[in-house]
Amino acid sequence: MLVTSRWVIGAVALLAVSSARTQGVVTQRILSVAAARVIAEAALAECVSRGFRTSVAVVDRSGNLLVVLRHELAHPVTVEMARSKAYTAVVFRDSTIEFQRDTASDATRLPQRDVAGILALGGGVPIYSAGEIIGGVASSGSSQTTDDECARAGAAKGASLLE
Amino acid sequence: MLVTSRWVIGAVALLAVSSARTQGVVTQRILSVAAARVIAEAALAECVSRGFRTSVAVVDRSGNLLVVLRHELAHPVTVEMARSKAYTAVVFRDSTIEFQRDTASDATRLPQRDVAGILALGGGVPIYSAGEIIGGVASSGSSQTTDDECARAGAAKGASLLE
Amino acid sequence: MLVTSRWVIGAVALLAVSSARTQGVVTQRILSVAAARVIAEAALAECVSRGFRTSVAVVDRSGNLLVVLRHELAHPVTVEMARSKAYTAVVFRDSTIEFQRDTASDATRLPQRDVAGILALGGGVPIYSAGEIIGGVASSGSSQTTDDECARAGAAKGASLLE
Amino acid sequence: MLVTSRWVIGAVALLAVSSARTQGVVTQRILSVAAARVIAEAALAECVSRGFRTSVAVVDRSGNLLVVLRHELAHPVTVEMARSKAYTAVVFRDSTIEFQRDTASDATRLPQRDVAGILALGGGVPIYSAGEIIGGVASSGSSQTTDDECARAGAAKGASLLE
Amino acid sequence: MLVTSRWVIGAVALLAVSSARTQGVVTQRILSVAAARVIAEAALAECVSRGFRTSVAVVDRSGNLLVVLRHELAHPVTVEMARSKAYTAVVFRDSTIEFQRDTASDATRLPQRDVAGILALGGGVPIYSAGEIIGGVASSGSSQTTDDECARAGAAKGASLLE
Amino acid sequence: MLVTSRWVIGAVALLAVSSARTQGVVTQRILSVAAARVIAEAALAECVSRGFRTSVAVVDRSGNLLVVLRHELAHPVTVEMARSKAYTAVVFRDSTIEFQRDTASDATRLPQRDVAGILALGGGVPIYSAGEIIGGVASSGSSQTTDDECARAGAAKGASLLE
Amino acid sequence: MLVTSRWVIGAVALLAVSSARTQGVVTQRILSVAAARVIAEAALAECVSRGFRTSVAVVDRSGNLLVVLRHELAHPVTVEMARSKAYTAVVFRDSTIEFQRDTASDATRLPQRDVAGILALGGGVPIYSAGEIIGGVASSGSSQTTDDECARAGAAKGASLLE
Amino acid sequence: MLVTSRWVIGAVALLAVSSARTQGVVTQRILSVAAARVIAEAALAECVSRGFRTSVAVVDRSGNLLVVLRHELAHPVTVEMARSKAYTAVVFRDSTIEFQRDTASDATRLPQRDVAGILALGGGVPIYSAGEIIGGVASSGSSQTTDDECARAGAAKGASLLE
């Protein structure tokens, strides 16, 4: 991803000299489980309110699971599908509906679907905080459009916690 | 999947309050091994009667194996193919011939073929009971059309047991 | 598992005759996501209240995930460990502390630890309803003893919902 | 395995000369699905008659599945456990109870348990025909002793078909 | 595959009655390692004589390896590619060049490429004996056309041993 | 892990109310690649100076790779072994020599070796910053004692960057 | 790959006679870790200088890892993607941008993307020494075009060491 | 492994300066397929002459397959077992019988058995050339003692080619 030039210049110097001024530790903002739960619950509630039995997964900025909620009548595979969608949204930094479109229309991006853990099905969206992606949320078990809306409902619910 | 509004409303309330009235246990109807055997045997017999050496798999509503029958001259891979087809029929709630057609004609559904365990080859059909999918049966080792017919023959044979 | 003789006799007859009286569909009681959430939250809260950052997993009677909650400072591997412990509690029908003891003291049971998905670490307990195991809950990230207590706290919290 | 000296000598000559007299095709006797079904059904019936809900797997001489029967209330993992036991019985040419004993008492054999697909739990037995192992049958879901007896009951039932 | 009606009728009867007349053991003709070596060596020699450094794999009728020969300067992945091609030739009962063409031109067969272990690259051919497929041979490391020719050269060399 | 009571109390409250005061984002300190390189190079140099050809891996606090250096004459497997050791040091929060001792002497901890990705061989140590584990470094390819010393040399070299 | 006729003739003779004149050991030139580090650092520096946070992988002629460098803010998956691209460049003996083009425009080559470990995304290039491919370098985490340029910058930096 | 001090000093200097004098390419001696075939055939012939039906695998110094020979009546798993034994002999630089003994008698080495691809069963031996390990050969399918002798017979047969 493109970063500010200040940061980049520092990094280059750092690579060149490996001096005592090397920045050994970097600070990173991560999604809390508390916010992840709010997001997951809102996403599941949205789908249930529309009459669907779905699974929801929330992952952190590395793509690791924070929260899973599976409706007892949703198929177990929906957990893995939701997890993959949330992971995809984090890795490719866009909703999976956009990822699906982009990889379908651009032949050079199509092989991105072959990366392990990636799934090009709508229903996953990134979670932002202060303009930065700090996680992803995804729904699985309804249609791709509805899953996308449920995930967005979850992300929206969490937004106020992540400012 | 879309469910009756009565059920949905109950679920939403349940999510909102988590009260003592929460429905902790839900009742589910599952396919018996006895019915699964009848279905598997009929599917294999149909293919054998047409001169094919095939494998048949029957899975429950979660997609787990209940019955496998492999003709001794069918290739071992046909067991895994039948298993995957039956699983696909359960997960995507349609015959694998329909799943193949739908994912071929709708680019947004094509990546459903990338989900682990899914196989878009004809020969798998859902098993219904009272309008509900409670399992799947699949044949592998002949042509896709014939495998589909064998699986349907199996499902038909079991239908009277599942009313 | 040992079942009542009435049931067994019926099953045997069923296997012998495959008649029209075959029981094609069986009713099963399954754990709801609502109850699973109550259990998971209580298990995590118990560990957090003791100063630990842990993950909790709740699985259904087949061992499939219903709920995951990972504290943002718990290592991602704790999700998989909690999942495996909960799965183990369901498969071997006992707490994982008991499973650990039994497989350590009985050489003939030791290879049960080699089954895929099994983990012989304390922290997983079965979830009962009306004397029947309908799921499992596990904690990972503190000590085995504490994880066991957290999981039990979760199961206890859910008990009233599962009567 | 040790074979008759006549055969061995032929093989050695064959390796040495690679002449036109090389035996290009060898005849092998394999287990039929018909016999495998008789064996599997008898093994399951034995366990059910004792009040257990189990899975049974029958594999051919290469260890590939021919038949699976899982009682609808047996845990899905019992299918994989039965498959592994039957495979183990074929690979190490003995019941899995004997395999367990031998690998426990002989430290040089212990690592045989580490081979992929092997499971050192009682319940698997070889299937013989004319003194030759042509497959394996295993039960999983009761105790190891009972699983062993169920598998033996299955093998015994099939014996008359395999003379 | 289609078999003679005599055989089929026997099989059907067998499924229906499970009587003492059940055919418990079936005789199968399998490829010897001696013939497999002749085939593999000829395939490798053909490629080497054309200036390529390749790998060759020969599998039996179940698709299990009998012989591997990798030129020391061929990439290790060529062993797995040759193995997959030989396996594909056996499973889909045709050369992998034909399999590639058929799955490219027939959308309903395209998902056959998704079956585990299958590789739609030219270079694999079935090995026949008396009109029956008893194995497969494949080359990897040159062009697909050349690999196909090398594999055919190997199969041709072995033909006289397999009559 | 045990944390300060202040933190814990906050977390509990947070779990109980899910209010607008929920801490949605948490700050985390992570190891930079610049420091990771210094550590890896020092670890490799230490082993090379003693006459060994080794691999070194540095992972972040989640256990994901930051740096790998493999001597060209070290076996490729040493990369995976170093990675696993570094991962183990992070997950179990101790050197792998200590992890090995603890899991050998305490039967209840022995199954920790069965967790995916864990390797109980000396040579991995945690990387600390301000008393917190922010990564791990491991060496593989010499003896366990030497690998441990090489990894410690690497960690020591990086210490000044991580204060 | 096509080799000089001298070599080929020798190989054929060798295969035919297996005589005492067989060439038992062959000399091979391999990439040193020292050169691999120079290449990896230059590739990462190029991307960082352009404002990207990426991962770099360098593999030897067999495709095994020699060096990994991941920027601490690059997603962990970029390590695996860089590894796969570098591996692909070695296996198919071309840049992954060319591999992508070739496999997109030639339907007979498309299935090369299905080989395990292969990834058809730009950013990987072979490393040459004296006209021979002795390794590969790849970048992941920016655009494919930029990743390709970063990898080329790395390879260029190493060129003088590899003459 | 310990190397001569001359080599080590060169390597250290190389790491310290990364100058233009860096040794970018290193020469390595590798096992030819011609020698590997001689070794494999001798190992198989030895076992066959004793009346066993076995598999033989020869791997190069990285542990990648060069040759596989499986007797048509040896179980397919013997190929994987032979491969693992040969790999183990290369990785741990000793016969697998010695590896088994060492890891059994030294608790700190026991976890070496847990490394992926390793198998602590007798029957694998290193292949030496000029005092250097350049590959491994293993037999599987008879007893461990006999497999060891067969592998040694193979290695001995190849010795004259590897001086």
Side-chain angles (χ1 to χ4, degrees), chain A:
Chain A
M1 78 218 71
L2 205 56
V3 296
T4 70
S5 60
R6 176 182 296 273
W7 187 90
V8 173
I9 291 169
V12 172
L14 170 161
L15 283 165
V17 302
S18 281
S19 73
R21 283 157 304 188
T22 295
Q23 188 181 6
V25 178
V26 175
T27 298
Q28 195 172 46
R29 299 166 70 249
I30 61 170
L31 180 63
S32 74
V33 64
R37 282 176 60 230
V38 170
I39 293 167
E41 287 168 16
L44 182 58
E46 179 68 24
C47 263
V48 170
S49 75
R50 298 183 184 198
F52 294 98
R53 299 155 178 176
T54 52
S55 289
V56 174
V58 178
V59 300
D60 65 18
R61 63 189 304 152
S62 292
N64 293 310
L65 281 180
L66 278 170
V67 177
V68 166
L69 294 176
R70 173 169 69 89
H71 189 283
E72 66 270 10
L73 297 180
H75 192 279
V77 79
T78 54
V79 169
E80 292 312 318
M81 291 175 72
R83 179 184 196 155
S84 295
K85 291 180 191 179
Y87 181 80
T88 301
V90 165
V91 167
F92 288 107
R93 312 182 70 73
D94 210 342
S95 75
T96 51
I97 275 193
E98 284 304 314
F99 176 73
Q100 184 184 83
R101 282 182 197 150
D102 292 348
T103 50
S105 63
D106 178 352
T108 70
R109 289 195 55 192
L110 187 59
Q112 290 179 338
R113 296 184 179 183
D114 297 335
V115 174
I118 295 302
L119 187 59
L121 291 173
V125 300
I127 298 171
Y128 292 89
S129 171
E132 182 186 28
I133 293 178
I134 61 166
V137 54
S139 172
S140 178
S142 68
S143 70
Q144 294 186 54
T145 305
T146 302
D147 278 332
D148 178 74
E149 290 166 358
C150 297
R152 288 181 195 282
K157 186 76 172 189
S160 65
L161 302 173
L162 304 176
E163 289 162 359

Side-chain angles (χ1 to χ4, degrees), chain E residues 45 48-53 71-73 75 77 81 100 113 119-121 141 144, chain G residues 1-3 7-8 11-12 26 28 61-63 87 90-91 108-109 111-112 115:
Chain E
V48 169
S49 74
R50 298 184 184 198
F52 293 98
R53 299 154 179 178
H71 190 281
E72 66 270 9
L73 298 179
H75 192 279
V77 79
M81 290 174 73
Q100 184 185 81
R113 295 185 179 182
L119 187 59
L121 291 173
Q144 295 185 54
Chain G
M1 76 216 75
L2 205 57
V3 295
W7 187 91
V8 172
V12 172
V26 175
Q28 195 172 47
R61 63 189 303 152
S62 291
Y87 180 80
V90 165
V91 166
T108 69
R109 289 197 55 192
Q112 290 179 337
V115 174

Side-chain angles (χ1 to χ4, degrees), chain G residues 5-103:
Chain G
S5 60
R6 175 182 295 272
W7 187 91
V8 172
I9 291 168
V12 172
L14 170 161
L15 283 164
V17 300
S18 281
S19 73
R21 282 158 303 188
T22 296
Q23 189 182 6
V25 179
V26 175
T27 299
Q28 195 172 47
R29 299 167 70 250
I30 61 169
L31 181 62
S32 75
V33 65
R37 282 176 59 230
V38 169
I39 292 167
E41 287 168 17
L44 182 59
E46 179 68 21
C47 263
V48 169
S49 75
R50 298 183 183 199
F52 294 98
R53 299 155 179 177
T54 51
S55 289
V56 175
V58 179
V59 300
D60 65 17
R61 63 189 303 152
S62 291
N64 293 310
L65 281 180
L66 279 170
V67 178
V68 167
L69 293 176
R70 174 169 68 89
H71 190 282
E72 66 270 10
L73 297 180
H75 192 279
V77 79
T78 55
V79 169
E80 292 311 318
M81 290 174 72
R83 179 186 197 153
S84 295
K85 292 180 190 179
Y87 180 80
T88 301
V90 165
V91 166
F92 288 107
R93 314 182 69 73
D94 210 342
S95 75
T96 52
I97 277 194
E98 284 304 316
F99 176 72
Q100 184 184 82
R101 282 182 198 148
D102 292 348
T103 50

Side-chain angles (χ1 to χ4, degrees), chain H:
Chain H
M1 79 218 74
L2 204 56
V3 294
T4 69
S5 59
R6 175 182 296 272
W7 188 91
V8 172
I9 292 168
V12 172
L14 171 160
L15 282 165
V17 301
S18 280
S19 73
R21 284 158 302 187
T22 294
Q23 188 182 6
V25 179
V26 174
T27 299
Q28 195 171 46
R29 299 166 71 249
I30 61 170
L31 181 63
S32 74
V33 65
R37 281 176 61 231
V38 169
I39 293 167
E41 287 169 17
L44 182 58
E46 179 68 22
C47 263
V48 169
S49 76
R50 297 186 186 197
F52 294 98
R53 300 154 178 177
T54 52
S55 290
V56 174
V58 178
V59 301
D60 65 17
R61 63 188 303 152
S62 292
N64 293 310
L65 281 181
L66 279 170
V67 178
V68 166
L69 293 176
R70 174 169 67 89
H71 190 283
E72 67 270 9
L73 297 180
H75 193 279
V77 78
T78 54
V79 170
E80 292 312 318
M81 290 174 73
R83 179 184 197 154
S84 295
K85 291 179 191 178
Y87 180 80
T88 301
V90 165
V91 166
F92 288 107
R93 313 181 70 72
D94 209 343
S95 74
T96 51
I97 277 194
E98 285 303 315
F99 177 72
Q100 184 185 81
R101 282 182 199 149
D102 292 348
T103 50
S105 63
D106 179 352
T108 70
R109 289 196 56 191
L110 187 59
Q112 290 179 337
R113 296 185 178 182
D114 298 336
V115 174
I118 296 301
L119 186 59
L121 290 173
V125 298
I127 298 171
Y128 292 89
S129 172
E132 184 186 25
I133 293 177
I134 61 167
V137 54
S139 172
S140 178
S142 67
S143 70
Q144 295 186 54
T145 306
T146 302
D147 279 332
D148 179 74
E149 290 166 358
C150 296
R152 288 181 195 281
K157 187 77 172 188
S160 65
L161 300 173
L162 304 175
E163 289 162 0

